[in-house]
PDB file of all heavy atoms in Angstrom:
ATOM      1  N   ASN A   9    -173.496 146.343  -3.777  1.00 88.00           N
ATOM      2  CA  ASN A   9    -174.207 147.454  -3.139  1.00 88.00           C
ATOM      3  C   ASN A   9    -173.543 147.907  -1.844  1.00 88.00           C
ATOM      4  O   ASN A   9    -173.712 149.046  -1.414  1.00 88.00           O
ATOM      5  CB  ASN A   9    -175.658 147.039  -2.847  1.00 88.00           C
ATOM      6  CG  ASN A   9    -176.459 146.807  -4.112  1.00 88.00           C
ATOM      7  OD1 ASN A   9    -176.152 147.395  -5.150  1.00 88.00           O
ATOM      8  ND2 ASN A   9    -177.470 145.951  -4.041  1.00 88.00           N
ATOM      9  N   LYS A  10    -172.764 147.008  -1.235  1.00 84.00           N
ATOM     10  CA  LYS A  10    -172.068 147.343  -0.002  1.00 84.00           C
ATOM     11  C   LYS A  10    -170.673 147.906  -0.259  1.00 84.00           C
ATOM     12  O   LYS A  10    -169.905 148.117   0.694  1.00 84.00           O
ATOM     13  CB  LYS A  10    -171.977 146.106   0.895  1.00 84.00           C
ATOM     14  CG  LYS A  10    -173.346 145.626   1.382  1.00 84.00           C
ATOM     15  CD  LYS A  10    -173.199 144.441   2.324  1.00 84.00           C
ATOM     16  CE  LYS A  10    -174.565 143.983   2.838  1.00 84.00           C
ATOM     17  NZ  LYS A  10    -174.437 142.829   3.765  1.00 84.00           N
ATOM     18  N   GLY A  11    -170.344 148.138  -1.522  1.00 84.00           N
ATOM     19  CA  GLY A  11    -169.065 148.752  -1.840  1.00 84.00           C
ATOM     20  C   GLY A  11    -167.904 147.782  -1.984  1.00 84.00           C
ATOM     21  O   GLY A  11    -166.752 148.208  -2.154  1.00 84.00           O
ATOM     22  N   ARG A  12    -168.158 146.486  -1.927  1.00 90.00           N
ATOM     23  CA  ARG A  12    -167.083 145.504  -2.084  1.00 90.00           C
ATOM     24  C   ARG A  12    -166.790 145.262  -3.566  1.00 90.00           C
ATOM     25  O   ARG A  12    -167.689 145.272  -4.391  1.00 90.00           O
ATOM     26  CB  ARG A  12    -167.460 144.185  -1.404  1.00 90.00           C
ATOM     27  CG  ARG A  12    -167.669 144.294   0.100  1.00 90.00           C
ATOM     28  CD  ARG A  12    -167.880 142.901   0.694  1.00 90.00           C
ATOM     29  NE  ARG A  12    -168.044 142.965   2.143  1.00 90.00           N
ATOM     30  CZ  ARG A  12    -169.205 142.959   2.760  1.00 90.00           C
ATOM     31  NH1 ARG A  12    -170.323 142.903   2.054  1.00 90.00           N
ATOM     32  NH2 ARG A  12    -169.276 143.015   4.078  1.00 90.00           N
ATOM     33  N   GLN A  13    -165.523 145.030  -3.876  1.00 93.00           N
ATOM     34  CA  GLN A  13    -165.120 144.687  -5.229  1.00 93.00           C
ATOM     35  C   GLN A  13    -165.170 143.168  -5.394  1.00 93.00           C
ATOM     36  O   GLN A  13    -164.673 142.429  -4.540  1.00 93.00           O
ATOM     37  CB  GLN A  13    -163.702 145.181  -5.514  1.00 93.00           C
ATOM     38  CG  GLN A  13    -163.530 146.691  -5.417  1.00 93.00           C
ATOM     39  CD  GLN A  13    -164.042 147.409  -6.656  1.00 93.00           C
ATOM     40  OE1 GLN A  13    -164.304 146.791  -7.683  1.00 93.00           O
ATOM     41  NE2 GLN A  13    -164.175 148.717  -6.556  1.00 93.00           N
ATOM     42  N   VAL A  14    -165.761 142.696  -6.482  1.00 96.00           N
ATOM     43  CA  VAL A  14    -165.840 141.267  -6.770  1.00 96.00           C
ATOM     44  C   VAL A  14    -165.119 140.988  -8.082  1.00 96.00           C
ATOM     45  O   VAL A  14    -165.376 141.647  -9.098  1.00 96.00           O
ATOM     46  CB  VAL A  14    -167.301 140.783  -6.851  1.00 96.00           C
ATOM     47  CG1 VAL A  14    -167.358 139.299  -7.218  1.00 96.00           C
ATOM     48  CG2 VAL A  14    -168.014 141.018  -5.518  1.00 96.00           C
ATOM     49  N   LEU A  15    -164.199 140.015  -8.069  1.00 96.00           N
ATOM     50  CA  LEU A  15    -163.425 139.628  -9.240  1.00 96.00           C
ATOM     51  C   LEU A  15    -163.757 138.187  -9.582  1.00 96.00           C
ATOM     52  O   LEU A  15    -163.702 137.309  -8.708  1.00 96.00           O
ATOM     53  CB  LEU A  15    -161.923 139.761  -8.972  1.00 96.00           C
ATOM     54  CG  LEU A  15    -161.449 141.002  -8.204  1.00 96.00           C
ATOM     55  CD1 LEU A  15    -159.957 140.927  -7.955  1.00 96.00           C
ATOM     56  CD2 LEU A  15    -161.802 142.262  -8.970  1.00 96.00           C
ATOM     57  N   ARG A  16    -164.067 137.919 -10.869  1.00 97.00           N
ATOM     58  CA  ARG A  16    -164.440 136.564 -11.266  1.00 97.00           C
ATOM     59  C   ARG A  16    -163.753 136.172 -12.567  1.00 97.00           C
ATOM     60  O   ARG A  16    -163.585 136.993 -13.476  1.00 97.00           O
ATOM     61  CB  ARG A  16    -165.959 136.445 -11.420  1.00 97.00           C
ATOM     62  CG  ARG A  16    -166.658 136.393 -10.069  1.00 97.00           C
ATOM     63  CD  ARG A  16    -168.129 136.182 -10.173  1.00 97.00           C
ATOM     64  NE  ARG A  16    -168.708 136.014  -8.845  1.00 97.00           N
ATOM     65  CZ  ARG A  16    -169.993 136.183  -8.564  1.00 97.00           C
ATOM     66  NH1 ARG A  16    -170.836 136.509  -9.522  1.00 97.00           N
ATOM     67  NH2 ARG A  16    -170.432 136.006  -7.338  1.00 97.00           N
ATOM     68  N   PHE A  17    -163.380 134.888 -12.605  1.00 96.00           N
ATOM     69  CA  PHE A  17    -162.712 134.345 -13.790  1.00 96.00           C
ATOM     70  C   PHE A  17    -163.051 132.867 -13.899  1.00 96.00           C
ATOM     71  O   PHE A  17    -163.053 132.140 -12.906  1.00 96.00           O
ATOM     72  CB  PHE A  17    -161.193 134.528 -13.670  1.00 96.00           C
ATOM     73  CG  PHE A  17    -160.399 133.803 -14.731  1.00 96.00           C
ATOM     74  CD1 PHE A  17    -160.280 134.332 -16.004  1.00 96.00           C
ATOM     75  CD2 PHE A  17    -159.786 132.593 -14.445  1.00 96.00           C
ATOM     76  CE1 PHE A  17    -159.559 133.675 -16.986  1.00 96.00           C
ATOM     77  CE2 PHE A  17    -159.061 131.927 -15.420  1.00 96.00           C
ATOM     78  CZ  PHE A  17    -158.941 132.468 -16.696  1.00 96.00           C
ATOM     79  N   ASN A  18    -163.362 132.403 -15.114  1.00 96.00           N
ATOM     80  CA  ASN A  18    -163.653 131.000 -15.376  1.00 96.00           C
ATOM     81  C   ASN A  18    -162.941 130.572 -16.652  1.00 96.00           C
ATOM     82  O   ASN A  18    -162.864 131.343 -17.624  1.00 96.00           O
ATOM     83  CB  ASN A  18    -165.161 130.764 -15.540  1.00 96.00           C
ATOM     84  CG  ASN A  18    -165.945 131.009 -14.264  1.00 96.00           C
ATOM     85  OD1 ASN A  18    -166.058 130.131 -13.429  1.00 96.00           O
ATOM     86  ND2 ASN A  18    -166.482 132.212 -14.123  1.00 96.00           N
ATOM     87  N   ALA A  19    -162.422 129.340 -16.651  1.00 96.00           N
ATOM     88  CA  ALA A  19    -161.730 128.837 -17.840  1.00 96.00           C
ATOM     89  C   ALA A  19    -161.726 127.318 -17.836  1.00 96.00           C
ATOM     90  O   ALA A  19    -161.752 126.683 -16.771  1.00 96.00           O
ATOM     91  CB  ALA A  19    -160.304 129.368 -17.902  1.00 96.00           C
ATOM     92  N   ASP A  20    -161.680 126.726 -19.028  1.00 96.00           N
ATOM     93  CA  ASP A  20    -161.526 125.292 -19.196  1.00 96.00           C
ATOM     94  C   ASP A  20    -160.097 124.992 -19.621  1.00 96.00           C
ATOM     95  O   ASP A  20    -159.457 125.798 -20.300  1.00 96.00           O
ATOM     96  CB  ASP A  20    -162.502 124.753 -20.250  1.00 96.00           C
ATOM     97  CG  ASP A  20    -163.955 124.872 -19.793  1.00 96.00           C
ATOM     98  OD1 ASP A  20    -164.193 124.829 -18.569  1.00 96.00           O
ATOM     99  OD2 ASP A  20    -164.836 125.018 -20.663  1.00 96.00           O
ATOM    100  N   ASN A  21    -159.597 123.814 -19.236  1.00 95.00           N
ATOM    101  CA  ASN A  21    -158.233 123.391 -19.572  1.00 95.00           C
ATOM    102  C   ASN A  21    -157.227 124.501 -19.237  1.00 95.00           C
ATOM    103  O   ASN A  21    -156.426 124.912 -20.074  1.00 95.00           O
ATOM    104  CB  ASN A  21    -158.142 123.012 -21.052  1.00 95.00           C
ATOM    105  CG  ASN A  21    -159.081 121.874 -21.406  1.00 95.00           C
ATOM    106  OD1 ASN A  21    -159.172 120.887 -20.668  1.00 95.00           O
ATOM    107  ND2 ASN A  21    -159.807 122.011 -22.510  1.00 95.00           N
ATOM    108  N   PHE A  22    -157.295 124.949 -17.994  1.00 95.00           N
ATOM    109  CA  PHE A  22    -156.492 126.086 -17.552  1.00 95.00           C
ATOM    110  C   PHE A  22    -155.195 125.629 -16.893  1.00 95.00           C
ATOM    111  O   PHE A  22    -155.189 124.726 -16.058  1.00 95.00           O
ATOM    112  CB  PHE A  22    -157.292 126.928 -16.552  1.00 95.00           C
ATOM    113  CG  PHE A  22    -156.510 128.056 -15.938  1.00 95.00           C
ATOM    114  CD1 PHE A  22    -156.305 129.234 -16.648  1.00 95.00           C
ATOM    115  CD2 PHE A  22    -155.978 127.937 -14.661  1.00 95.00           C
ATOM    116  CE1 PHE A  22    -155.594 130.283 -16.075  1.00 95.00           C
ATOM    117  CE2 PHE A  22    -155.263 128.977 -14.089  1.00 95.00           C
ATOM    118  CZ  PHE A  22    -155.071 130.150 -14.809  1.00 95.00           C
ATOM    119  N   SER A  23    -154.098 126.244 -17.279  1.00 93.00           N
ATOM    120  CA  SER A  23    -152.810 126.047 -16.618  1.00 93.00           C
ATOM    121  C   SER A  23    -151.992 127.316 -16.819  1.00 93.00           C
ATOM    122  O   SER A  23    -152.267 128.110 -17.732  1.00 93.00           O
ATOM    123  CB  SER A  23    -152.062 124.836 -17.176  1.00 93.00           C
ATOM    124  OG  SER A  23    -151.722 125.029 -18.534  1.00 93.00           O
ATOM    125  N   THR A  24    -151.001 127.516 -15.974  1.00 93.00           N
ATOM    126  CA  THR A  24    -150.179 128.710 -16.070  1.00 93.00           C
ATOM    127  C   THR A  24    -148.783 128.419 -15.557  1.00 93.00           C
ATOM    128  O   THR A  24    -148.578 127.463 -14.791  1.00 93.00           O
ATOM    129  CB  THR A  24    -150.798 129.874 -15.267  1.00 93.00           C
ATOM    130  OG1 THR A  24    -149.942 131.015 -15.351  1.00 93.00           O
ATOM    131  CG2 THR A  24    -150.981 129.485 -13.815  1.00 93.00           C
ATOM    132  N   GLN A  25    -147.832 129.223 -15.959  1.00 93.00           N
ATOM    133  CA  GLN A  25    -146.455 129.071 -15.507  1.00 93.00           C
ATOM    134  C   GLN A  25    -146.050 130.163 -14.526  1.00 93.00           C
ATOM    135  O   GLN A  25    -144.882 130.262 -14.142  1.00 93.00           O
ATOM    136  CB  GLN A  25    -145.500 129.075 -16.711  1.00 93.00           C
ATOM    137  CG  GLN A  25    -145.720 127.894 -17.647  1.00 93.00           C
ATOM    138  CD  GLN A  25    -144.731 127.851 -18.784  1.00 93.00           C
ATOM    139  OE1 GLN A  25    -143.865 128.712 -18.914  1.00 93.00           O
ATOM    140  NE2 GLN A  25    -144.844 126.836 -19.621  1.00 93.00           N
ATOM    141  N   THR A  26    -147.008 130.972 -14.105  1.00 94.00           N
ATOM    142  CA  THR A  26    -146.740 132.021 -13.123  1.00 94.00           C
ATOM    143  C   THR A  26    -147.836 132.015 -12.069  1.00 94.00           C
ATOM    144  O   THR A  26    -148.925 131.481 -12.283  1.00 94.00           O
ATOM    145  CB  THR A  26    -146.683 133.420 -13.771  1.00 94.00           C
ATOM    146  OG1 THR A  26    -147.936 133.688 -14.432  1.00 94.00           O
ATOM    147  CG2 THR A  26    -145.552 133.517 -14.777  1.00 94.00           C
ATOM    148  N   GLU A  27    -147.554 132.613 -10.929  1.00 94.00           N
ATOM    149  CA  GLU A  27    -148.536 132.685  -9.854  1.00 94.00           C
ATOM    150  C   GLU A  27    -149.584 133.748 -10.163  1.00 94.00           C
ATOM    151  O   GLU A  27    -149.370 134.644 -10.991  1.00 94.00           O
ATOM    152  CB  GLU A  27    -147.853 133.014  -8.531  1.00 94.00           C
ATOM    153  CG  GLU A  27    -147.238 134.409  -8.495  1.00 94.00           C
ATOM    154  CD  GLU A  27    -146.589 134.739  -7.167  1.00 94.00           C
ATOM    155  OE1 GLU A  27    -146.417 133.843  -6.333  1.00 94.00           O
ATOM    156  OE2 GLU A  27    -146.254 135.921  -6.961  1.00 94.00           O
ATOM    157  N   PHE A  28    -150.733 133.637  -9.491  1.00 95.00           N
ATOM    158  CA  PHE A  28    -151.748 134.683  -9.570  1.00 95.00           C
ATOM    159  C   PHE A  28    -151.472 135.695  -8.476  1.00 95.00           C
ATOM    160  O   PHE A  28    -151.191 135.337  -7.337  1.00 95.00           O
ATOM    161  CB  PHE A  28    -153.144 134.105  -9.395  1.00 95.00           C
ATOM    162  CG  PHE A  28    -154.217 135.149  -9.282  1.00 95.00           C
ATOM    163  CD1 PHE A  28    -154.620 135.860 -10.392  1.00 95.00           C
ATOM    164  CD2 PHE A  28    -154.793 135.452  -8.062  1.00 95.00           C
ATOM    165  CE1 PHE A  28    -155.596 136.837 -10.294  1.00 95.00           C
ATOM    166  CE2 PHE A  28    -155.760 136.419  -7.945  1.00 95.00           C
ATOM    167  CZ  PHE A  28    -156.171 137.120  -9.079  1.00 95.00           C
ATOM    168  N   ALA A  29    -151.532 136.981  -8.835  1.00 95.00           N
ATOM    169  CA  ALA A  29    -151.203 138.013  -7.848  1.00 95.00           C
ATOM    170  C   ALA A  29    -152.087 139.240  -8.027  1.00 95.00           C
ATOM    171  O   ALA A  29    -152.530 139.558  -9.139  1.00 95.00           O
ATOM    172  CB  ALA A  29    -149.737 138.414  -7.965  1.00 95.00           C
ATOM    173  N   LEU A  30    -152.341 139.895  -6.903  1.00 94.00           N
ATOM    174  CA  LEU A  30    -153.054 141.174  -6.865  1.00 94.00           C
ATOM    175  C   LEU A  30    -152.310 142.113  -5.938  1.00 94.00           C
ATOM    176  O   LEU A  30    -151.740 141.686  -4.928  1.00 94.00           O
ATOM    177  CB  LEU A  30    -154.471 141.004  -6.322  1.00 94.00           C
ATOM    178  CG  LEU A  30    -155.551 140.348  -7.168  1.00 94.00           C
ATOM    179  CD1 LEU A  30    -156.827 140.245  -6.350  1.00 94.00           C
ATOM    180  CD2 LEU A  30    -155.794 141.121  -8.445  1.00 94.00           C
ATOM    181  N   ASN A  31    -152.322 143.397  -6.269  1.00 95.00           N
ATOM    182  CA  ASN A  31    -151.839 144.433  -5.363  1.00 95.00           C
ATOM    183  C   ASN A  31    -153.046 145.246  -4.915  1.00 95.00           C
ATOM    184  O   ASN A  31    -153.734 145.849  -5.744  1.00 95.00           O
ATOM    185  CB  ASN A  31    -150.811 145.332  -6.049  1.00 95.00           C
ATOM    186  CG  ASN A  31    -149.512 144.602  -6.340  1.00 95.00           C
ATOM    187  OD1 ASN A  31    -149.170 143.635  -5.674  1.00 95.00           O
ATOM    188  ND2 ASN A  31    -148.785 145.053  -7.341  1.00 95.00           N
ATOM    189  N   VAL A  32    -153.291 145.234  -3.620  1.00 94.00           N
ATOM    190  CA  VAL A  32    -154.476 145.893  -3.079  1.00 94.00           C
ATOM    191  C   VAL A  32    -154.054 147.060  -2.193  1.00 94.00           C
ATOM    192  O   VAL A  32    -153.323 146.868  -1.215  1.00 94.00           O
ATOM    193  CB  VAL A  32    -155.333 144.905  -2.266  1.00 94.00           C
ATOM    194  CG1 VAL A  32    -156.549 145.600  -1.682  1.00 94.00           C
ATOM    195  CG2 VAL A  32    -155.753 143.727  -3.142  1.00 94.00           C
ATOM    196  N   ALA A  33    -154.508 148.239  -2.556  1.00 92.00           N
ATOM    197  CA  ALA A  33    -154.288 149.410  -1.705  1.00 92.00           C
ATOM    198  C   ALA A  33    -155.497 149.543  -0.786  1.00 92.00           C
ATOM    199  O   ALA A  33    -156.636 149.584  -1.242  1.00 92.00           O
ATOM    200  CB  ALA A  33    -154.119 150.662  -2.560  1.00 92.00           C
ATOM    201  N   ALA A  34    -155.238 149.567   0.505  1.00 83.00           N
ATOM    202  CA  ALA A  34    -156.333 149.609   1.470  1.00 83.00           C
ATOM    203  C   ALA A  34    -155.978 150.538   2.612  1.00 83.00           C
ATOM    204  O   ALA A  34    -154.827 150.624   3.031  1.00 83.00           O
ATOM    205  CB  ALA A  34    -156.628 148.214   1.996  1.00 83.00           C
ATOM    206  N   ASP A  35    -156.984 151.220   3.077  1.00 69.00           N
ATOM    207  CA  ASP A  35    -156.815 152.092   4.234  1.00 69.00           C
ATOM    208  C   ASP A  35    -157.125 151.273   5.473  1.00 69.00           C
ATOM    209  O   ASP A  35    -158.274 151.165   5.915  1.00 69.00           O
ATOM    210  CB  ASP A  35    -157.767 153.296   4.123  1.00 69.00           C
ATOM    211  CG  ASP A  35    -157.559 154.290   5.262  1.00 69.00           C
ATOM    212  OD1 ASP A  35    -156.518 154.180   5.942  1.00 69.00           O
ATOM    213  OD2 ASP A  35    -158.415 155.159   5.449  1.00 69.00           O
ATOM    214  N   VAL A  36    -156.100 150.628   6.026  1.00 63.00           N
ATOM    215  CA  VAL A  36    -156.287 149.732   7.166  1.00 63.00           C
ATOM    216  C   VAL A  36    -156.293 150.551   8.456  1.00 63.00           C
ATOM    217  O   VAL A  36    -155.271 151.075   8.875  1.00 63.00           O
ATOM    218  CB  VAL A  36    -155.177 148.662   7.218  1.00 63.00           C
ATOM    219  CG1 VAL A  36    -155.392 147.750   8.418  1.00 63.00           C
ATOM    220  CG2 VAL A  36    -155.162 147.857   5.929  1.00 63.00           C
ATOM    221  N   LYS A  37    -157.450 150.661   9.057  1.00 60.00           N
ATOM    222  CA  LYS A  37    -157.598 151.405  10.301  1.00 60.00           C
ATOM    223  C   LYS A  37    -157.814 150.427  11.455  1.00 60.00           C
ATOM    224  O   LYS A  37    -158.361 149.335  11.267  1.00 60.00           O
ATOM    225  CB  LYS A  37    -158.802 152.357  10.209  1.00 60.00           C
ATOM    226  CG  LYS A  37    -158.664 153.407   9.110  1.00 60.00           C
ATOM    227  CD  LYS A  37    -159.904 154.275   9.051  1.00 60.00           C
ATOM    228  CE  LYS A  37    -159.776 155.338   7.959  1.00 60.00           C
ATOM    229  NZ  LYS A  37    -160.996 156.170   7.864  1.00 60.00           N
ATOM    230  N   PRO A  38    -157.362 150.807  12.660  1.00 51.00           N
ATOM    231  CA  PRO A  38    -157.622 149.929  13.817  1.00 51.00           C
ATOM    232  C   PRO A  38    -159.124 149.748  14.018  1.00 51.00           C
ATOM    233  O   PRO A  38    -159.846 150.696  14.285  1.00 51.00           O
ATOM    234  CB  PRO A  38    -156.999 150.695  14.985  1.00 51.00           C
ATOM    235  CG  PRO A  38    -155.984 151.590  14.356  1.00 51.00           C
ATOM    236  CD  PRO A  38    -156.564 151.974  13.022  1.00 51.00           C
ATOM    237  N   ARG A  39    -159.596 148.529  13.808  1.00 58.00           N
ATOM    238  CA  ARG A  39    -161.005 148.244  14.001  1.00 58.00           C
ATOM    239  C   ARG A  39    -161.158 146.781  14.381  1.00 58.00           C
ATOM    240  O   ARG A  39    -160.356 145.929  14.010  1.00 58.00           O
ATOM    241  CB  ARG A  39    -161.819 148.538  12.741  1.00 58.00           C
ATOM    242  CG  ARG A  39    -161.369 147.781  11.512  1.00 58.00           C
ATOM    243  CD  ARG A  39    -162.254 148.098  10.339  1.00 58.00           C
ATOM    244  NE  ARG A  39    -161.789 147.449   9.129  1.00 58.00           N
ATOM    245  CZ  ARG A  39    -162.441 147.472   7.980  1.00 58.00           C
ATOM    246  NH1 ARG A  39    -163.579 148.109   7.893  1.00 58.00           N
ATOM    247  NH2 ARG A  39    -161.954 146.850   6.917  1.00 58.00           N
ATOM    248  N   LEU A  40    -162.190 146.493  15.134  1.00 59.00           N
ATOM    249  CA  LEU A  40    -162.427 145.138  15.596  1.00 59.00           C
ATOM    250  C   LEU A  40    -162.991 144.303  14.451  1.00 59.00           C
ATOM    251  O   LEU A  40    -163.951 144.687  13.790  1.00 59.00           O
ATOM    252  CB  LEU A  40    -163.410 145.151  16.767  1.00 59.00           C
ATOM    253  CG  LEU A  40    -163.748 143.790  17.378  1.00 59.00           C
ATOM    254  CD1 LEU A  40    -162.506 143.166  18.014  1.00 59.00           C
ATOM    255  CD2 LEU A  40    -164.858 143.942  18.396  1.00 59.00           C
ATOM    256  N   GLN A  41    -162.349 143.145  14.215  1.00 62.00           N
ATOM    257  CA  GLN A  41    -162.825 142.215  13.208  1.00 62.00           C
ATOM    258  C   GLN A  41    -163.272 140.944  13.901  1.00 62.00           C
ATOM    259  O   GLN A  41    -162.587 140.420  14.781  1.00 62.00           O
ATOM    260  CB  GLN A  41    -161.717 141.902  12.195  1.00 62.00           C
ATOM    261  CG  GLN A  41    -161.317 143.130  11.362  1.00 62.00           C
ATOM    262  CD  GLN A  41    -160.131 142.842  10.471  1.00 62.00           C
ATOM    263  OE1 GLN A  41    -159.144 142.288  10.906  1.00 62.00           O
ATOM    264  NE2 GLN A  41    -160.228 143.230   9.219  1.00 62.00           N
ATOM    265  N   VAL A  42    -164.436 140.446  13.505  1.00 63.00           N
ATOM    266  CA  VAL A  42    -165.029 139.271  14.125  1.00 63.00           C
ATOM    267  C   VAL A  42    -165.228 138.202  13.065  1.00 63.00           C
ATOM    268  O   VAL A  42    -165.707 138.488  11.965  1.00 63.00           O
ATOM    269  CB  VAL A  42    -166.395 139.611  14.788  1.00 63.00           C
ATOM    270  CG1 VAL A  42    -166.970 138.367  15.460  1.00 63.00           C
ATOM    271  CG2 VAL A  42    -166.232 140.739  15.785  1.00 63.00           C
ATOM    272  N   GLN A  43    -164.853 136.968  13.408  1.00 59.00           N
ATOM    273  CA  GLN A  43    -165.027 135.859  12.478  1.00 59.00           C
ATOM    274  C   GLN A  43    -165.640 134.682  13.202  1.00 59.00           C
ATOM    275  O   GLN A  43    -165.194 134.309  14.286  1.00 59.00           O
ATOM    276  CB  GLN A  43    -163.698 135.439  11.856  1.00 59.00           C
ATOM    277  CG  GLN A  43    -163.837 134.244  10.919  1.00 59.00           C
ATOM    278  CD  GLN A  43    -162.531 133.859  10.288  1.00 59.00           C
ATOM    279  OE1 GLN A  43    -161.623 134.674  10.184  1.00 59.00           O
ATOM    280  NE2 GLN A  43    -162.410 132.618   9.877  1.00 59.00           N
ATOM    281  N   LEU A  44    -166.662 134.092  12.587  1.00 57.00           N
ATOM    282  CA  LEU A  44    -167.317 132.918  13.144  1.00 57.00           C
ATOM    283  C   LEU A  44    -166.833 131.689  12.392  1.00 57.00           C
ATOM    284  O   LEU A  44    -167.004 131.594  11.176  1.00 57.00           O
ATOM    285  CB  LEU A  44    -168.841 133.041  13.031  1.00 57.00           C
ATOM    286  CG  LEU A  44    -169.665 131.847  13.545  1.00 57.00           C
ATOM    287  CD1 LEU A  44    -169.462 131.683  15.047  1.00 57.00           C
ATOM    288  CD2 LEU A  44    -171.144 132.031  13.210  1.00 57.00           C
ATOM    289  N   ALA A  45    -166.193 130.758  13.099  1.00 56.00           N
ATOM    290  CA  ALA A  45    -165.688 129.539  12.478  1.00 56.00           C
ATOM    291  C   ALA A  45    -166.829 128.533  12.317  1.00 56.00           C
ATOM    292  O   ALA A  45    -167.909 128.682  12.891  1.00 56.00           O
ATOM    293  CB  ALA A  45    -164.555 128.944  13.318  1.00 56.00           C
ATOM    294  N   LYS A  46    -166.555 127.469  11.512  1.00 53.00           N
ATOM    295  CA  LYS A  46    -167.596 126.477  11.254  1.00 53.00           C
ATOM    296  C   LYS A  46    -167.976 125.705  12.513  1.00 53.00           C
ATOM    297  O   LYS A  46    -169.074 125.162  12.609  1.00 53.00           O
ATOM    298  CB  LYS A  46    -167.130 125.513  10.158  1.00 53.00           C
ATOM    299  CG  LYS A  46    -167.105 126.156   8.773  1.00 53.00           C
ATOM    300  CD  LYS A  46    -166.821 125.134   7.695  1.00 53.00           C
ATOM    301  CE  LYS A  46    -166.899 125.763   6.321  1.00 53.00           C
ATOM    302  NZ  LYS A  46    -166.652 124.769   5.238  1.00 53.00           N
ATOM    303  N   ASP A  47    -167.048 125.629  13.472  1.00 58.00           N
ATOM    304  CA  ASP A  47    -167.370 124.930  14.730  1.00 58.00           C
ATOM    305  C   ASP A  47    -168.012 125.865  15.737  1.00 58.00           C
ATOM    306  O   ASP A  47    -168.091 125.562  16.922  1.00 58.00           O
ATOM    307  CB  ASP A  47    -166.113 124.294  15.317  1.00 58.00           C
ATOM    308  CG  ASP A  47    -165.010 125.331  15.578  1.00 58.00           C
ATOM    309  OD1 ASP A  47    -165.256 126.526  15.355  1.00 58.00           O
ATOM    310  OD2 ASP A  47    -163.918 124.931  16.006  1.00 58.00           O
ATOM    311  N   GLU A  48    -168.461 127.052  15.261  1.00 63.00           N
ATOM    312  CA  GLU A  48    -169.179 128.054  16.047  1.00 63.00           C
ATOM    313  C   GLU A  48    -168.294 128.786  17.046  1.00 63.00           C
ATOM    314  O   GLU A  48    -168.794 129.534  17.879  1.00 63.00           O
ATOM    315  CB  GLU A  48    -170.386 127.421  16.767  1.00 63.00           C
ATOM    316  CG  GLU A  48    -171.429 126.876  15.797  1.00 63.00           C
ATOM    317  CD  GLU A  48    -172.684 126.406  16.500  1.00 63.00           C
ATOM    318  OE1 GLU A  48    -172.695 126.409  17.747  1.00 63.00           O
ATOM    319  OE2 GLU A  48    -173.651 126.053  15.810  1.00 63.00           O
ATOM    320  N   GLN A  49    -166.978 128.594  16.970  1.00 64.00           N
ATOM    321  CA  GLN A  49    -166.088 129.420  17.773  1.00 64.00           C
ATOM    322  C   GLN A  49    -166.002 130.814  17.150  1.00 64.00           C
ATOM    323  O   GLN A  49    -166.069 130.975  15.940  1.00 64.00           O
ATOM    324  CB  GLN A  49    -164.687 128.802  17.835  1.00 64.00           C
ATOM    325  CG  GLN A  49    -164.606 127.507  18.602  1.00 64.00           C
ATOM    326  CD  GLN A  49    -163.184 127.069  18.824  1.00 64.00           C
ATOM    327  OE1 GLN A  49    -162.436 127.699  19.581  1.00 64.00           O
ATOM    328  NE2 GLN A  49    -162.786 126.009  18.162  1.00 64.00           N
ATOM    329  N   VAL A  50    -165.846 131.822  17.999  1.00 65.00           N
ATOM    330  CA  VAL A  50    -165.777 133.204  17.539  1.00 65.00           C
ATOM    331  C   VAL A  50    -164.362 133.725  17.773  1.00 65.00           C
ATOM    332  O   VAL A  50    -163.811 133.594  18.872  1.00 65.00           O
ATOM    333  CB  VAL A  50    -166.798 134.095  18.274  1.00 65.00           C
ATOM    334  CG1 VAL A  50    -166.693 135.534  17.780  1.00 65.00           C
ATOM    335  CG2 VAL A  50    -168.214 133.557  18.060  1.00 65.00           C
TER     336      VAL A  50
END
């Protein structure tokens, strides 16, 4: 509902010979990003 894309995958006995990769096109604008760590540091 907030416009975020969610990707999900599940498998049993999974293995691969290549890396997992995504190409994401994003409009990166200068904006303040805030993150709260588990030790409550901001």
Side-chain angles (χ1 to χ4, degrees):
N9 294 333
K10 295 183 179 180
R12 298 186 178 98
Q13 299 281 347
V14 177
L15 318 177
R16 285 184 175 160
F17 171 79
N18 294 275
D20 294 331
N21 300 316
F22 175 79
S23 64
T24 178
Q25 296 183 359
T26 59
E27 66 179 11
F28 172 74
L30 287 177
N31 291 335
V32 179
D35 184 15
V36 180
K37 298 178 180 178
R39 58 178 176 174
L40 181 65
Q41 294 174 313
V42 182
Q43 178 179 337
L44 178 64
K46 288 188 176 181
D47 58 3
E48 297 187 354
Q49 292 189 69
V50 180

